[in-house]
Amino acid sequence: AAEVRLQKESQKWEDEIARVQQQEMEALKQCCDMAEQHVKELRNEIAALRSRMAVVVQERDALVEGKRDAQSALTHMIAVSEKTVDLKEQTIEQLGALEQLGLQNLGEMRKCSTSSQETLQAIMTKLQEEEKEEQPTPRSSRARDVARQLLDSDHAPPV
């Protein structure tokens, strides 16, 4: 009887242990299922992060390329600006040289005009002296008239 009771008690504890083990197995299976689901979610998040990272890398690369293009354009603009300044300075120098040349030409023209007027005055004086000494010829009268017109005008030809 004690043995039967002991077997019943032992069976009762074995059934209880089996039931607890079954519950623990089910709980462990639920934990594994939840962990598996969590791993899937993490993998999805990692894939989404990789996708976003790829977009960020592309945007960064585009910005870097844009920066290079902007620096290149700026360098070109600086070179063009420097060339423009050089051309402006050359133009100013050339205008100064042209002004000097113009002033020299004006001085030469004044000298020529003065020389022409002096020559015409000498011709007039000579013609007047010839007229006093002898009878004027049509040719000498014509020469005197032309010389007088030239002296009266400011368009004396250069000599």
Side-chain angles (χ1 to χ4, degrees):
E3 205 173 301
V4 171
R5 206 171 30 135
L6 197 56
Q7 272 183 348
K8 280 186 179 181
E9 194 64 34
S10 179
Q11 185 65 37
K12 182 177 157 189
W13 282 111
E14 284 178 23
D15 289 346
E16 183 65 24
I17 289 172
R19 186 182 64 78
V20 169
Q21 283 179 342
Q22 182 66 29
Q23 286 177 344
E24 284 179 353
M25 286 297 279
E26 287 175 12
L28 190 57
K29 186 177 183 307
Q30 285 179 345
C31 279
C32 285
D33 290 344
M34 286 174 39
E36 213 174 280
Q37 183 62 31
H38 191 61
V39 166
K40 285 180 185 177
E41 290 172 2
L42 287 175
R43 284 183 179 152
N44 288 339
E45 286 183 31
I46 288 171
L49 286 173
R50 283 184 179 152
S51 176
R52 282 187 246 155
M53 185 65 152
V55 170
V56 168
V57 167
Q58 287 175 343
E59 289 174 351
R60 183 206 62 204
D61 291 346
L63 287 172
V64 167
E65 188 64 29
K67 180 182 175 187
R68 281 190 204 123
D69 291 346
Q71 285 175 331
S72 176
L74 182 60
T75 301
H76 177 71
M77 287 173 54
I78 289 170
V80 167
S81 178
E82 289 172 351
K83 193 166 240 166
T84 302
V85 167
D86 290 345
L87 288 173
K88 180 181 174 185
E89 289 172 356
Q90 288 176 1
T91 302
I92 290 171
E93 289 173 11
Q94 290 171 349
L95 285 173
L98 283 173
E99 181 182 26
Q100 283 299 99
L101 189 60
L103 290 173
Q104 288 174 353
N105 286 343
L106 183 62
E108 291 297 320
M109 287 172 58
R110 285 184 181 153
K111 287 178 188 175
C112 288
S113 176
T114 302
S115 174
S116 295
Q117 286 181 345
E118 289 172 355
T119 302
L120 285 172
Q121 191 63 47
I123 291 171
M124 283 291 291
T125 304
K126 184 166 173 119
L127 286 173
Q128 287 173 349
E129 288 173 4
E130 285 179 2
E131 280 183 354
K132 287 181 186 174
E133 293 176 8
E134 61 185 61
Q135 191 67 338
T137 64
R139 183 172 179 202
S140 66
S141 294
R142 176 76 182 127
R144 186 188 71 236
D145 291 342
V146 169
R148 185 170 288 130
Q149 285 176 351
L150 287 171
L151 276 175
D152 291 341
S153 74
D154 289 336
H155 301 293
V159 175

PDB file of all heavy atoms in Angstrom, residues 111-138:
ATOM      1  N   LYS A 111      53.507 122.697 -86.618  1.00  0.00           N
ATOM      2  CA  LYS A 111      54.787 123.122 -87.187  1.00  0.00           C
ATOM      3  C   LYS A 111      54.666 123.292 -88.696  1.00  0.00           C
ATOM      4  O   LYS A 111      55.146 124.280 -89.266  1.00  0.00           O
ATOM      5  CB  LYS A 111      55.889 122.106 -86.881  1.00  0.00           C
ATOM      6  CG  LYS A 111      56.365 122.097 -85.456  1.00  0.00           C
ATOM      7  CD  LYS A 111      57.433 121.018 -85.269  1.00  0.00           C
ATOM      8  CE  LYS A 111      57.798 120.841 -83.823  1.00  0.00           C
ATOM      9  NZ  LYS A 111      58.721 119.723 -83.632  1.00  0.00           N
ATOM     10  N   CYS A 112      54.012 122.306 -89.345  1.00  0.00           N
ATOM     11  CA  CYS A 112      53.843 122.365 -90.800  1.00  0.00           C
ATOM     12  C   CYS A 112      53.002 123.572 -91.183  1.00  0.00           C
ATOM     13  O   CYS A 112      53.305 124.260 -92.168  1.00  0.00           O
ATOM     14  CB  CYS A 112      53.176 121.092 -91.329  1.00  0.00           C
ATOM     15  SG  CYS A 112      54.249 119.653 -91.291  1.00  0.00           S
ATOM     16  N   SER A 113      51.948 123.809 -90.419  1.00  0.00           N
ATOM     17  CA  SER A 113      51.081 124.951 -90.713  1.00  0.00           C
ATOM     18  C   SER A 113      51.857 126.250 -90.572  1.00  0.00           C
ATOM     19  O   SER A 113      51.767 127.141 -91.434  1.00  0.00           O
ATOM     20  CB  SER A 113      49.879 124.928 -89.762  1.00  0.00           C
ATOM     21  OG  SER A 113      49.076 126.055 -89.955  1.00  0.00           O
ATOM     22  N   THR A 114      52.628 126.343 -89.485  1.00  0.00           N
ATOM     23  CA  THR A 114      53.440 127.547 -89.276  1.00  0.00           C
ATOM     24  C   THR A 114      54.451 127.700 -90.396  1.00  0.00           C
ATOM     25  O   THR A 114      54.628 128.799 -90.955  1.00  0.00           O
ATOM     26  CB  THR A 114      54.155 127.471 -87.914  1.00  0.00           C
ATOM     27  OG1 THR A 114      53.182 127.318 -86.892  1.00  0.00           O
ATOM     28  CG2 THR A 114      54.973 128.717 -87.647  1.00  0.00           C
ATOM     29  N   SER A 115      55.080 126.576 -90.749  1.00  0.00           N
ATOM     30  CA  SER A 115      56.069 126.603 -91.830  1.00  0.00           C
ATOM     31  C   SER A 115      55.412 127.000 -93.144  1.00  0.00           C
ATOM     32  O   SER A 115      55.971 127.798 -93.915  1.00  0.00           O
ATOM     33  CB  SER A 115      56.727 125.220 -91.942  1.00  0.00           C
ATOM     34  OG  SER A 115      57.582 125.182 -93.047  1.00  0.00           O
ATOM     35  N   SER A 116      54.210 126.460 -93.402  1.00  0.00           N
ATOM     36  CA  SER A 116      53.492 126.797 -94.644  1.00  0.00           C
ATOM     37  C   SER A 116      53.135 128.278 -94.668  1.00  0.00           C
ATOM     38  O   SER A 116      53.264 128.943 -95.707  1.00  0.00           O
ATOM     39  CB  SER A 116      52.210 125.968 -94.768  1.00  0.00           C
ATOM     40  OG  SER A 116      52.503 124.610 -94.912  1.00  0.00           O
ATOM     41  N   GLN A 117      52.673 128.759 -93.526  1.00  0.00           N
ATOM     42  CA  GLN A 117      52.318 130.178 -93.472  1.00  0.00           C
ATOM     43  C   GLN A 117      53.556 131.049 -93.686  1.00  0.00           C
ATOM     44  O   GLN A 117      53.501 132.059 -94.394  1.00  0.00           O
ATOM     45  CB  GLN A 117      51.650 130.514 -92.133  1.00  0.00           C
ATOM     46  CG  GLN A 117      50.236 130.007 -92.046  1.00  0.00           C
ATOM     47  CD  GLN A 117      49.590 130.362 -90.722  1.00  0.00           C
ATOM     48  OE1 GLN A 117      50.270 130.743 -89.769  1.00  0.00           O
ATOM     49  NE2 GLN A 117      48.281 130.221 -90.681  1.00  0.00           N
ATOM     50  N   GLU A 118      54.665 130.631 -93.095  1.00  0.00           N
ATOM     51  CA  GLU A 118      55.903 131.404 -93.295  1.00  0.00           C
ATOM     52  C   GLU A 118      56.321 131.352 -94.762  1.00  0.00           C
ATOM     53  O   GLU A 118      56.743 132.373 -95.327  1.00  0.00           O
ATOM     54  CB  GLU A 118      57.016 130.836 -92.399  1.00  0.00           C
ATOM     55  CG  GLU A 118      56.800 131.115 -90.926  1.00  0.00           C
ATOM     56  CD  GLU A 118      57.791 130.383 -90.041  1.00  0.00           C
ATOM     57  OE1 GLU A 118      58.610 129.577 -90.547  1.00  0.00           O
ATOM     58  OE2 GLU A 118      57.750 130.618 -88.825  1.00  0.00           O
ATOM     59  N   THR A 119      56.199 130.171 -95.386  1.00  0.00           N
ATOM     60  CA  THR A 119      56.549 130.038 -96.805  1.00  0.00           C
ATOM     61  C   THR A 119      55.639 130.903 -97.660  1.00  0.00           C
ATOM     62  O   THR A 119      56.105 131.612 -98.576  1.00  0.00           O
ATOM     63  CB  THR A 119      56.440 128.557 -97.249  1.00  0.00           C
ATOM     64  OG1 THR A 119      57.298 127.773 -96.436  1.00  0.00           O
ATOM     65  CG2 THR A 119      56.811 128.388 -98.701  1.00  0.00           C
ATOM     66  N   LEU A 120      54.323 130.830 -97.366  1.00  0.00           N
ATOM     67  CA  LEU A 120      53.367 131.654 -98.136  1.00  0.00           C
ATOM     68  C   LEU A 120      53.647 133.144 -97.931  1.00  0.00           C
ATOM     69  O   LEU A 120      53.557 133.946 -98.875  1.00  0.00           O
ATOM     70  CB  LEU A 120      51.932 131.326 -97.723  1.00  0.00           C
ATOM     71  CG  LEU A 120      51.377 130.010 -98.253  1.00  0.00           C
ATOM     72  CD1 LEU A 120      50.030 129.718 -97.613  1.00  0.00           C
ATOM     73  CD2 LEU A 120      51.219 130.069 -99.763  1.00  0.00           C
ATOM     74  N   GLN A 121      53.968 133.498 -96.706  1.00  0.00           N
ATOM     75  CA  GLN A 121      54.277 134.912 -96.421  1.00  0.00           C
ATOM     76  C   GLN A 121      55.510 135.345 -97.215  1.00  0.00           C
ATOM     77  O   GLN A 121      55.541 136.440 -97.775  1.00  0.00           O
ATOM     78  CB  GLN A 121      54.513 135.100 -94.912  1.00  0.00           C
ATOM     79  CG  GLN A 121      54.573 136.547 -94.482  1.00  0.00           C
ATOM     80  CD  GLN A 121      53.251 137.262 -94.737  1.00  0.00           C
ATOM     81  OE1 GLN A 121      52.186 136.765 -94.418  1.00  0.00           O
ATOM     82  NE2 GLN A 121      53.305 138.429 -95.340  1.00  0.00           N
ATOM     83  N   ALA A 122      56.504 134.436 -97.273  1.00  0.00           N
ATOM     84  CA  ALA A 122      57.714 134.751 -98.040  1.00  0.00           C
ATOM     85  C   ALA A 122      57.381 134.904 -99.515  1.00  0.00           C
ATOM     86  O   ALA A 122      57.896 135.809-100.196  1.00  0.00           O
ATOM     87  CB  ALA A 122      58.767 133.665 -97.822  1.00  0.00           C
ATOM     88  N   ILE A 123      56.509 133.987-100.019  1.00  0.00           N
ATOM     89  CA  ILE A 123      56.106 134.081-101.440  1.00  0.00           C
ATOM     90  C   ILE A 123      55.386 135.393-101.689  1.00  0.00           C
ATOM     91  O   ILE A 123      55.636 136.085-102.688  1.00  0.00           O
ATOM     92  CB  ILE A 123      55.223 132.871-101.835  1.00  0.00           C
ATOM     93  CG1 ILE A 123      56.058 131.590-101.847  1.00  0.00           C
ATOM     94  CG2 ILE A 123      54.551 133.076-103.172  1.00  0.00           C
ATOM     95  CD1 ILE A 123      55.241 130.319-102.003  1.00  0.00           C
ATOM     96  N   MET A 124      54.457 135.742-100.759  1.00  0.00           N
ATOM     97  CA  MET A 124      53.707 137.004-100.912  1.00  0.00           C
ATOM     98  C   MET A 124      54.656 138.195-100.918  1.00  0.00           C
ATOM     99  O   MET A 124      54.521 139.110-101.743  1.00  0.00           O
ATOM    100  CB  MET A 124      52.708 137.159 -99.757  1.00  0.00           C
ATOM    101  CG  MET A 124      51.465 136.320 -99.866  1.00  0.00           C
ATOM    102  SD  MET A 124      50.403 136.874-101.189  1.00  0.00           S
ATOM    103  CE  MET A 124      49.833 138.412-100.567  1.00  0.00           C
ATOM    104  N   THR A 125      55.597 138.165 -99.997  1.00  0.00           N
ATOM    105  CA  THR A 125      56.555 139.268 -99.921  1.00  0.00           C
ATOM    106  C   THR A 125      57.345 139.363-101.208  1.00  0.00           C
ATOM    107  O   THR A 125      57.522 140.455-101.782  1.00  0.00           O
ATOM    108  CB  THR A 125      57.498 139.074 -98.725  1.00  0.00           C
ATOM    109  OG1 THR A 125      56.712 138.939 -97.541  1.00  0.00           O
ATOM    110  CG2 THR A 125      58.456 140.226 -98.578  1.00  0.00           C
ATOM    111  N   LYS A 126      57.810 138.222-101.709  1.00  0.00           N
ATOM    112  CA  LYS A 126      58.589 138.194-102.941  1.00  0.00           C
ATOM    113  C   LYS A 126      57.746 138.684-104.113  1.00  0.00           C
ATOM    114  O   LYS A 126      58.230 139.468-104.960  1.00  0.00           O
ATOM    115  CB  LYS A 126      59.113 136.781-103.207  1.00  0.00           C
ATOM    116  CG  LYS A 126      59.997 136.709-104.423  1.00  0.00           C
ATOM    117  CD  LYS A 126      60.741 135.417-104.456  1.00  0.00           C
ATOM    118  CE  LYS A 126      61.454 135.318-105.747  1.00  0.00           C
ATOM    119  NZ  LYS A 126      62.777 135.228-105.854  1.00  0.00           N
ATOM    120  N   LEU A 127      56.471 138.207-104.163  1.00  0.00           N
ATOM    121  CA  LEU A 127      55.593 138.631-105.262  1.00  0.00           C
ATOM    122  C   LEU A 127      55.331 140.150-105.200  1.00  0.00           C
ATOM    123  O   LEU A 127      55.298 140.840-106.232  1.00  0.00           O
ATOM    124  CB  LEU A 127      54.279 137.857-105.223  1.00  0.00           C
ATOM    125  CG  LEU A 127      54.345 136.402-105.668  1.00  0.00           C
ATOM    126  CD1 LEU A 127      53.012 135.718-105.403  1.00  0.00           C
ATOM    127  CD2 LEU A 127      54.690 136.306-107.142  1.00  0.00           C
ATOM    128  N   GLN A 128      55.143 140.641-103.972  1.00  0.00           N
ATOM    129  CA  GLN A 128      54.904 142.083-103.830  1.00  0.00           C
ATOM    130  C   GLN A 128      56.129 142.880-104.252  1.00  0.00           C
ATOM    131  O   GLN A 128      56.015 143.926-104.881  1.00  0.00           O
ATOM    132  CB  GLN A 128      54.519 142.414-102.386  1.00  0.00           C
ATOM    133  CG  GLN A 128      53.116 141.968-102.028  1.00  0.00           C
ATOM    134  CD  GLN A 128      52.810 142.155-100.553  1.00  0.00           C
ATOM    135  OE1 GLN A 128      53.696 142.431 -99.752  1.00  0.00           O
ATOM    136  NE2 GLN A 128      51.541 141.975-100.218  1.00  0.00           N
ATOM    137  N   GLU A 129      57.301 142.355-103.927  1.00  0.00           N
ATOM    138  CA  GLU A 129      58.533 143.043-104.333  1.00  0.00           C
ATOM    139  C   GLU A 129      58.664 143.024-105.850  1.00  0.00           C
ATOM    140  O   GLU A 129      59.049 144.024-106.465  1.00  0.00           O
ATOM    141  CB  GLU A 129      59.758 142.372-103.697  1.00  0.00           C
ATOM    142  CG  GLU A 129      59.876 142.629-102.217  1.00  0.00           C
ATOM    143  CD  GLU A 129      61.001 141.827-101.583  1.00  0.00           C
ATOM    144  OE1 GLU A 129      61.749 141.131-102.288  1.00  0.00           O
ATOM    145  OE2 GLU A 129      61.120 141.893-100.351  1.00  0.00           O
ATOM    146  N   GLU A 130      58.291 141.843-106.447  1.00  0.00           N
ATOM    147  CA  GLU A 130      58.363 141.746-107.909  1.00  0.00           C
ATOM    148  C   GLU A 130      57.362 142.698-108.547  1.00  0.00           C
ATOM    149  O   GLU A 130      57.656 143.305-109.584  1.00  0.00           O
ATOM    150  CB  GLU A 130      58.087 140.306-108.367  1.00  0.00           C
ATOM    151  CG  GLU A 130      59.226 139.347-108.127  1.00  0.00           C
ATOM    152  CD  GLU A 130      58.890 137.934-108.565  1.00  0.00           C
ATOM    153  OE1 GLU A 130      57.783 137.689-109.101  1.00  0.00           O
ATOM    154  OE2 GLU A 130      59.726 137.036-108.351  1.00  0.00           O
ATOM    155  N   GLU A 131      56.189 142.849-107.944  1.00  0.00           N
ATOM    156  CA  GLU A 131      55.173 143.744-108.497  1.00  0.00           C
ATOM    157  C   GLU A 131      55.658 145.185-108.457  1.00  0.00           C
ATOM    158  O   GLU A 131      55.387 145.961-109.359  1.00  0.00           O
ATOM    159  CB  GLU A 131      53.865 143.611-107.710  1.00  0.00           C
ATOM    160  CG  GLU A 131      53.037 142.416-108.090  1.00  0.00           C
ATOM    161  CD  GLU A 131      51.717 142.376-107.327  1.00  0.00           C
ATOM    162  OE1 GLU A 131      51.478 143.200-106.425  1.00  0.00           O
ATOM    163  OE2 GLU A 131      50.919 141.472-107.621  1.00  0.00           O
ATOM    164  N   LYS A 132      56.386 145.513-107.383  1.00  0.00           N
ATOM    165  CA  LYS A 132      56.888 146.881-107.268  1.00  0.00           C
ATOM    166  C   LYS A 132      57.959 147.135-108.296  1.00  0.00           C
ATOM    167  O   LYS A 132      58.063 148.227-108.834  1.00  0.00           O
ATOM    168  CB  LYS A 132      57.462 147.121-105.863  1.00  0.00           C
ATOM    169  CG  LYS A 132      56.396 147.236-104.803  1.00  0.00           C
ATOM    170  CD  LYS A 132      57.045 147.502-103.461  1.00  0.00           C
ATOM    171  CE  LYS A 132      56.025 147.483-102.361  1.00  0.00           C
ATOM    172  NZ  LYS A 132      56.620 147.588-101.064  1.00  0.00           N
ATOM    173  N   GLU A 133      58.780 146.147-108.568  1.00  0.00           N
ATOM    174  CA  GLU A 133      59.884 146.312-109.497  1.00  0.00           C
ATOM    175  C   GLU A 133      59.427 146.265-110.938  1.00  0.00           C
ATOM    176  O   GLU A 133      60.013 146.919-111.795  1.00  0.00           O
ATOM    177  CB  GLU A 133      60.941 145.216-109.266  1.00  0.00           C
ATOM    178  CG  GLU A 133      61.627 145.343-107.933  1.00  0.00           C
ATOM    179  CD  GLU A 133      62.584 144.201-107.702  1.00  0.00           C
ATOM    180  OE1 GLU A 133      62.836 143.396-108.605  1.00  0.00           O
ATOM    181  OE2 GLU A 133      63.086 144.097-106.570  1.00  0.00           O
ATOM    182  N   GLU A 134      58.427 145.480-111.256  1.00  0.00           N
ATOM    183  CA  GLU A 134      58.003 145.362-112.652  1.00  0.00           C
ATOM    184  C   GLU A 134      56.508 145.222-112.739  1.00  0.00           C
ATOM    185  O   GLU A 134      55.814 145.110-111.759  1.00  0.00           O
ATOM    186  CB  GLU A 134      58.700 144.165-113.307  1.00  0.00           C
ATOM    187  CG  GLU A 134      58.357 142.846-112.633  1.00  0.00           C
ATOM    188  CD  GLU A 134      59.138 141.713-113.224  1.00  0.00           C
ATOM    189  OE1 GLU A 134      60.371 141.752-113.148  1.00  0.00           O
ATOM    190  OE2 GLU A 134      58.498 140.809-113.750  1.00  0.00           O
ATOM    191  N   GLN A 135      56.080 145.124-113.907  1.00  0.00           N
ATOM    192  CA  GLN A 135      54.656 144.990-114.195  1.00  0.00           C
ATOM    193  C   GLN A 135      54.223 143.552-113.856  1.00  0.00           C
ATOM    194  O   GLN A 135      54.853 142.601-114.302  1.00  0.00           O
ATOM    195  CB  GLN A 135      54.455 145.282-115.697  1.00  0.00           C
ATOM    196  CG  GLN A 135      53.040 145.437-116.102  1.00  0.00           C
ATOM    197  CD  GLN A 135      52.366 146.671-115.512  1.00  0.00           C
ATOM    198  OE1 GLN A 135      52.788 147.194-114.509  1.00  0.00           O
ATOM    199  NE2 GLN A 135      51.320 147.134-116.113  1.00  0.00           N
ATOM    200  N   PRO A 136      53.138 143.368-113.087  1.00  0.00           N
ATOM    201  CA  PRO A 136      52.710 142.027-112.737  1.00  0.00           C
ATOM    202  C   PRO A 136      52.180 141.265-113.960  1.00  0.00           C
ATOM    203  O   PRO A 136      51.540 141.847-114.817  1.00  0.00           O
ATOM    204  CB  PRO A 136      51.602 142.226-111.720  1.00  0.00           C
ATOM    205  CG  PRO A 136      51.156 143.629-111.851  1.00  0.00           C
ATOM    206  CD  PRO A 136      52.285 144.383-112.479  1.00  0.00           C
ATOM    207  N   THR A 137      52.486 140.009-113.996  1.00  0.00           N
ATOM    208  CA  THR A 137      51.988 139.149-115.072  1.00  0.00           C
ATOM    209  C   THR A 137      50.748 138.439-114.544  1.00  0.00           C
ATOM    210  O   THR A 137      50.535 138.379-113.339  1.00  0.00           O
ATOM    211  CB  THR A 137      53.041 138.094-115.468  1.00  0.00           C
ATOM    212  OG1 THR A 137      53.241 137.240-114.348  1.00  0.00           O
ATOM    213  CG2 THR A 137      54.331 138.724-115.904  1.00  0.00           C
ATOM    214  N   PRO A 138      49.907 137.951-115.475  1.00  0.00           N
ATOM    215  CA  PRO A 138      48.713 137.223-114.982  1.00  0.00           C
ATOM    216  C   PRO A 138      49.115 136.048-114.088  1.00  0.00           C
ATOM    217  O   PRO A 138      48.437 135.743-113.113  1.00  0.00           O
ATOM    218  CB  PRO A 138      48.037 136.710-116.236  1.00  0.00           C
ATOM    219  CG  PRO A 138      48.558 137.553-117.354  1.00  0.00           C
ATOM    220  CD  PRO A 138      49.889 138.065-116.932  1.00  0.00           C
TER     221      PRO A 138
END
